[in-house]
Amino acid sequence: MASSKSKLSSSSTPNKHKFKPTADISHANSAKTELDTVAKLDAERLAEEKIRFDSDVLAMAYPWDEAARTVAADSTKLVAEALESFLHHTPEADVLNLPPQLDNSNLRGKLTLLAKAVKPWLLPSTDKVADLLSKEKAIYLYFRDVVLFVMECLQALHADSDIPAHYRLLLPNSTGSDSKGKDSTQGFKMDQVLVLRPWSDEIEQGVKDWHYADILAVAEAKVPDSAAAIKSASSTAGTALSSFVDGRVPPKRKAAQGQMLCYSRPIYEHQHNRILIWGLTICGSLVRLYNSGPDCALSSADLDMRDAGGRRQFVEWLVHMSLGEDEQRGFNPAVQFVDDKQRGKYWKIDVPAIVDEGYHSNCTDYVTSYYSRGPTVVAGSSFGRNTRGFPATKDIDNIDRPDVFVKTAWQHTERKPNSTRLSELDCLKLIKKEFGSSKDGINVPILVAGGVMAKRLNDGSFVPLTTDAFYSSDILQRHEVVESSLAIDDEPNPLAEPSQPPLIAFRQQYALVTDKICEPLKSVKTADELIVVLFDAMRAHSWILENCGLLHRDISPNNIMVGRNEAASDRPSVYGMLIDFDCAINPNLERTARPERTGTKPFMSVANLEGHPEQRTELDDWESLLYVLCWISTFGINANDRGVLAKANKELTIPLEISLWHANSDMVAIAAKKRSHLHDLDSFAGDITDRFPTQGEDDKLPDYFSLQCLAIDLYEALFQNPDVDASCRGARKKKDTAVVFKRSMHRFGPRKDGGTLQSFKNMTIESNGSTDNPAKSASNDPFVNRMEDSAKSTIIESLKGVLEYHAGIANDALTAASNE
């Protein structure tokens, strides 16, 4: 158990963390470039696709506990009435209608000054004191002072020392101008923020210094849209605004929405227990509140701060966020930050026991607590599963010697059991069953504990943390995906109507514990280590598919981990492991078309990006592996190399073509770029592999010649394999014309042990585009033709052989280096 001196708070992560987690896509040319440019473009797209209007969104802020809801309602009434009294009070009137707690000279003086400061924002535009709201900075200051007014009132109303532990002050940035988090790794600044502070703190003018780890919500302010812009948006929206907030919104609000979503990424990244995020946009006197979940962001209607009703609703939301519990603020109550004077700062994660069926609704032994200094894999996307990974232990006295890996994530599932749709927990159970005792050279995660995380109620029962717990039945009825329809994925469908944002999927907040402690892929030290790790990961991929019938479907840098063992020579040896089976399916059971999109865009296969109706196969995963290799070989395999290459890339006169695989365009456009880059060896080499740093370019750059060779050989085995029909080669859709090519040999020559590459013994080096067994009815799309069983098996065997060959060379080099 935690020390009695511990201070638990899942509502505010520590603002001076020393943890150094990995970002969502951590292999871009620099964190600043990725988040300052690509993330902003991506957020603008997401604002058009994923923001949905719902009048009940404010109800999501109501406390779950009835007693707390009553206290919040009473407080809202008193604060809203006090605001109106001060707002309309004149010097000639001596009497203010205030409750006793607010009726003292010191507090009255503070509230009088704040009310006077915000009158230009809150008074009707016809009033001579009203502000035209033509300057954003003025709006920041008005917002700040209204929040401070509410907090001053709340602190006075609840001045007793015996107050609930979950009460928090919401404090804005005191300067009233753009500011940047002290723990920020990004270059952009925010208009205004609401940060969480202990109830006993001084309110004063807000906070001058703040951290992402403390943010409750981001507030983006803009001057009002012109009447013409508002009229234009309204005239083109039709009836859509009754159900959706889509791209047909006035430009100022649209820009504010995009910025607000952009800043949700670093909030998730720094708050390891955050599962929902609140945000605000302020356009003139109109405030909108947003609750952003894993699938979409729900928007309130306009709260007009120049109307008493709008002001009251805004006060109500602030009160609920201040007096409510952590769930309303968007935090996972089963993951808590602990600041212990004896043990230091750490995380306590309550993990459910493994159950075969059903859910433990009332069991004191349901959860086991695990302890971690912090995650090595962090969340970092505006929507989706937001997976985190914690090296942990259930023995708090050994917290600095973790022995298990705890993963938390929003997992999409179905309410009704489906024997063909496996959860990650089901997958890990199956892997554990089939794996048995350790297999030589195969590294797979072995399940220790896990299930749906929960909130423990006062009576000892548990409420599972699902989307049902956070969204009202009315919201779900309007927006939830129909279970009989296709599954919702973590990426939008570019083929859908643009005014139809993604639906709310049924998701559960899972925690899974496995037995191996691994590091992120970016922890590899050399290119040779990377090759060995990739080989181990794909070897496990093949074993799991063959023995467990599970196809992974999400090969990305975040899902390939690095392990290190102490070798006999007391030198570290490296190995790779494949994790994260959220997207895995059993292709033998699921024979129906599955055009869902899974994965991270730069690493998704072309068929996946384009939403082909054909079933996904292991070829898609091998294609993703090639993209992973190309991506990290361009931008750097580890933090040190990324820093060096980031400086070099800034001086490039020719843009990096591979950057077009990222989120600055939709998935169909990314697929088109990949088809162009992969169609022939000249394109692939010229656009992609020639941009890898190699020896002789610059002594200051890393040497990725071995990665260049591996990438080319994998490319040729996959896209230009001479042992399959010509219709299977290349990447572009084409007519029935012969493709003439010449396969380049391995750059390394023969293996040092004199061995040969078994899968290439009978390979024809040159081909005129024909084989002895041409396809009887080939499609004009080589991606479709490669899915045919005989072609697929031939290509996969070639890919395995290529990776094994290069891994053997790399392992020999690592062994030689360790013996020096």
Side-chain angles (χ1 to χ4, degrees):
M1 296 295 292
S3 166
S4 60
K5 297 181 180 179
S6 299
K7 183 178 180 181
L8 289 178
S9 171
S10 64
S11 65
S12 176
T13 56
N15 59 17
K16 292 185 180 179
H17 259 350
K18 300 301 182 183
F19 304 146
K20 295 181 179 179
T22 179
D24 180 43
I25 300 176
S26 56
H27 299 279
N29 49 0
S30 72
K32 182 178 185 301
T33 299
E34 179 201 352
L35 294 179
D36 286 8
T37 56
V38 175
K40 285 186 176 181
L41 292 169
D42 195 29
E44 291 173 4
R45 175 183 59 82
L46 291 174
E48 294 182 1
E49 296 175 350
K50 294 206 169 191
I51 293 181
R52 308 186 70 182
F53 172 80
D54 197 289
S55 58
D56 288 343
V57 67
L58 291 176
M60 294 182 66
Y62 294 166
W64 289 0
D65 182 76
E66 290 186 10
R69 188 176 296 193
T70 299
V71 172
D74 292 342
S75 300
T76 297
K77 180 177 182 295
L78 294 174
V79 175
E81 289 177 351
L83 178 59
E84 295 304 313
S85 295
F86 277 97
L87 184 61
H88 298 292
H89 183 257
T90 61
E92 295 78 19
D94 295 329
V95 179
L96 279 167
N97 183 21
L98 299 175
Q101 301 97 315
L102 304 182
D103 197 8
N104 66 76
S105 58
N106 183 42
L107 179 59
R108 184 184 296 188
K110 290 182 179 180
L111 297 180
T112 299
L113 290 174
L114 290 169
K116 182 179 179 180
V118 300
K119 279 186 178 183
W121 191 38
L122 303 183
L123 291 178
S125 57
T126 55
D127 195 290
K128 64 180 181 179
V129 181
D131 191 339
L132 294 177
L133 304 177
S134 58
K135 295 183 179 180
E136 285 187 14
K137 185 171 182 179
I139 300 174
Y140 306 161
L141 291 170
Y142 294 141
F143 174 85
R144 177 198 69 183
D145 291 341
V146 169
V147 173
L148 293 176
F149 184 99
V150 175
M151 291 303 111
E152 289 279 10
C153 291
L154 281 179
Q155 196 176 55
L157 289 173
H158 303 278
D160 296 339
S161 58
D162 187 21
I163 62 171
H166 55 79
Y167 280 17
R168 294 288 184 276
L169 292 176
L170 310 182
L171 298 184
N173 171 30
S174 62
T175 61
S177 60
D178 288 353
S179 59
K180 182 178 178 180
K182 291 297 181 181
D183 52 351
S184 174
T185 57
Q186 293 82 44
F188 45 62
K189 297 180 180 180
M190 299 186 184
D191 290 353
Q192 259 294 4
V193 294
L194 290 177
V195 298
L196 295 162
R197 285 289 185 266
W199 188 256
S200 58
D201 270 17
E202 292 292 329
I203 294 175
E204 296 302 326
Q205 295 298 309
V207 295
K208 182 178 181 181
D209 297 327
W210 55 271
H211 299 74
Y212 281 114
D214 300 326
I215 288 181
L216 169 77
V218 173
E220 275 299 312
K222 300 293 180 186
V223 300
D225 279 292
S226 67
I230 295 174
K231 182 178 180 180
S232 175
S234 300
S235 64
T236 58
T239 60
L241 289 180
S242 63
S243 303
F244 303 112
V245 175
D246 60 8
R248 306 181 186 105
V249 296
K252 298 292 185 183
R253 174 173 291 156
K254 183 177 180 180
Q257 289 175 342
Q259 289 177 272
M260 179 194 66
L261 289 184
C262 181
Y263 302 144
S264 66
R265 294 183 62 177
I267 295 175
Y268 279 125
E269 181 183 347
H270 286 82
Q271 298 184 16
H272 310 313
N273 51 0
R274 197 67 181 264
I275 52 179
L276 299 172
I277 288 182
W278 288 92
L280 304 92
T281 60
I282 313 166
C283 293
S285 65
L286 302 180
V287 173
R288 282 201 178 191
L289 298 167
Y290 304 80
N291 184 281
S292 183
D295 292 299
C296 65
L298 297 180
S299 165
S300 74
D302 286 328
L303 310 183
D304 190 347
M305 298 301 289
R306 289 183 165 170
D307 176 80
R311 290 192 291 271
R312 183 184 178 88
Q313 285 185 300
F314 183 58
V315 168
E316 180 183 51
W317 181 78
L318 289 173
V319 170
H320 283 144
M321 289 294 101
S322 181
L323 305 184
E325 295 187 350
D326 290 329
E327 300 80 62
Q328 284 69 52
R329 298 182 185 121
F331 294 93
N332 183 344
V335 181
Q336 295 181 323
F337 172 71
V338 184
D339 190 354
D340 190 328
K341 292 182 179 179
Q342 179 181 353
R343 294 191 173 95
K345 298 176 180 180
Y346 61 89
W347 292 85
K348 174 177 172 286
I349 310 159
D350 291 334
V351 179
I354 301 173
V355 293
D356 292 328
E357 295 181 1
Y359 186 88
H360 285 298
S361 61
N362 192 347
C363 176
T364 56
D365 297 326
Y366 176 67
V367 299
T368 299
S369 295
Y370 289 82
Y371 306 94
S372 173
R373 291 296 184 192
T376 55
V377 176
V378 303
S381 58
S382 299
F383 298 97
R385 288 168 288 162
N386 271 323
T387 301
R388 286 115 171 164
F390 299 80
T393 179
K394 61 181 178 181
D395 181 0
I396 193 170
D397 292 328
N398 289 319
I399 189 171
D400 292 315
R401 294 187 294 276
D403 52 12
V404 294
F405 192 76
V406 181
K407 170 190 171 180
T408 64
W410 273 119
Q411 291 192 5
H412 170 225
T413 183
E414 298 174 355
R415 286 191 182 84
K416 297 178 182 178
N418 185 335
S419 60
T420 64
R421 182 73 183 187
L422 301 176
S423 69
E424 185 176 21
L425 179 61
D426 296 327
C427 293
L428 291 176
K429 285 180 180 179
L430 183 58
I431 291 172
K432 182 177 182 179
K433 176 183 176 181
E434 296 297 327
F435 193 75
S437 59
S438 178
K439 302 293 190 299
D440 183 36
I442 302 291
N443 298 292
V444 298
I446 301 300
L447 184 66
V448 175
V452 182
M453 305 183 86
K455 173 183 171 61
R456 186 191 292 270
L457 302 180
N458 292 333
D459 61 2
S461 63
F462 293 88
V463 174
L465 295 178
T466 69
T467 47
D468 286 359
F470 294 93
Y471 296 106
S472 70
S473 58
D474 289 340
I475 289 176
L476 292 175
Q477 185 176 2
R478 285 189 288 270
H479 303 300
E480 190 177 24
V481 63
V482 180
E483 288 191 359
S484 61
S485 66
L486 290 173
I488 288 292
D489 301 300
D490 292 332
E491 294 289 350
N493 184 349
L495 303 181
E497 291 296 323
S499 61
Q500 300 294 317
L503 298 172
I504 297 175
F506 178 68
R507 293 181 185 261
Q508 299 174 315
Q509 187 69 201
Y510 261 83
L512 299 169
V513 183
T514 51
D515 67 341
K516 284 185 172 62
I517 299 295
C518 292
E519 304 168 352
L521 187 60
K522 68 174 184 178
S523 67
V524 295
K525 300 174 182 177
T526 66
D528 288 328
E529 283 194 354
L530 175 63
I531 293 172
V532 170
V533 167
L534 295 181
F535 169 71
D536 286 345
M538 294 309 291
R539 187 179 181 191
H541 176 279
S542 298
W543 185 91
I544 291 170
L545 179 60
E546 180 180 350
N547 293 276
C548 306
L550 296 175
L551 181 63
H552 190 274
R553 301 200 311 164
D554 191 11
I555 303 298
S556 71
N558 288 341
N559 294 337
I560 299 175
M561 303 293 281
V562 178
R564 296 187 183 276
N565 289 325
E566 292 298 322
S569 61
D570 294 329
R571 297 292 184 91
S573 62
V574 67
Y575 64 88
M577 189 168 70
L578 187 63
I579 66 166
D580 197 346
F581 292 84
D582 281 343
C583 300
I585 63 168
N586 186 330
N588 294 323
L589 296 177
E590 301 189 35
R591 287 296 184 185
T592 58
R594 303 187 59 81
E596 58 188 318
R597 292 163 171 79
T598 56
T600 309
K601 287 181 181 177
F603 319 114
M604 292 168 66
S605 69
V606 167
N608 197 0
L609 288 165
E610 293 179 340
H612 283 204
E614 289 80 7
Q615 181 186 14
R616 302 289 170 265
T617 74
E618 55 266 51
L619 274 184
D620 291 273
D621 285 358
W622 279 95
E623 186 182 332
S624 293
L625 177 74
L626 177 62
Y627 300 148
V628 169
L629 176 61
C630 292
W631 187 269
I632 62 181
S633 297
T634 301
F635 297 117
I637 65 174
N638 53 41
N640 180 68
D641 288 5
R642 286 201 307 276
V644 173
L645 291 175
K647 294 180 181 178
N649 289 339
K650 289 180 181 179
E651 300 175 357
L652 292 176
T653 57
I654 302 176
L656 291 169
E657 286 285 323
I658 198 171
S659 297
L660 299 174
W661 296 1
H662 210 310
N664 58 346
S665 57
D666 63 29
M667 288 191 284
V668 172
I670 294 173
K673 284 297 179 183
K674 287 185 175 181
R675 282 182 180 270
S676 175
H677 296 154
L678 299 167
H679 185 61
D680 54 46
L681 183 57
D682 287 342
S683 297
F684 181 67
D687 293 340
I688 307 299
T689 58
D690 283 354
R691 310 308 291 270
F692 297 3
T694 55
Q695 192 173 18
E697 292 181 11
D698 189 335
D699 292 340
K700 296 179 180 179
L701 297 180
D703 184 4
Y704 290 170
F705 179 68
S706 59
L707 301 180
Q708 188 181 69
C709 296
L710 173 59
I712 290 174
D713 284 347
L714 287 174
Y715 165 79
E716 290 185 325
L718 179 55
F719 290 97
Q720 300 291 358
N721 197 312
D723 285 354
V724 298
D725 189 79
S727 63
C728 300
R729 302 180 198 137
R732 297 190 190 123
K733 294 181 180 180
K734 52 185 179 291
K735 298 179 181 179
D736 294 330
T737 56
V739 177
V740 180
F741 71 96
K742 185 173 184 177
R743 183 185 179 279
S744 53
M745 297 295 292
H746 292 292
R747 269 59 171 177
F748 280 108
R751 286 280 301 272
K752 292 181 179 180
D753 58 9
T756 58
L757 190 58
Q758 181 67 31
S759 60
F760 285 141
K761 275 186 175 181
N762 301 317
M763 178 172 280
T764 304
I765 301 303
E766 295 188 17
S767 172
N768 62 3
S770 63
T771 65
D772 295 335
N773 258 328
K776 293 181 180 179
S777 57
S779 163
N780 70 336
D781 189 345
F783 285 93
V784 174
N785 297 330
R786 280 192 289 270
M787 295 179 188
E788 195 272 329
D789 286 344
S790 61
K792 179 181 69 175
S793 59
T794 298
I795 293 171
I796 289 172
E797 286 304 308
S798 296
L799 290 165
K800 289 178 181 178
V802 166
L803 191 52
E804 180 182 8
Y805 177 87
H806 285 268
I809 297 295
N811 191 62
D812 290 345
L814 291 174
T815 301
S818 67
N819 292 329
E820 290 180 356

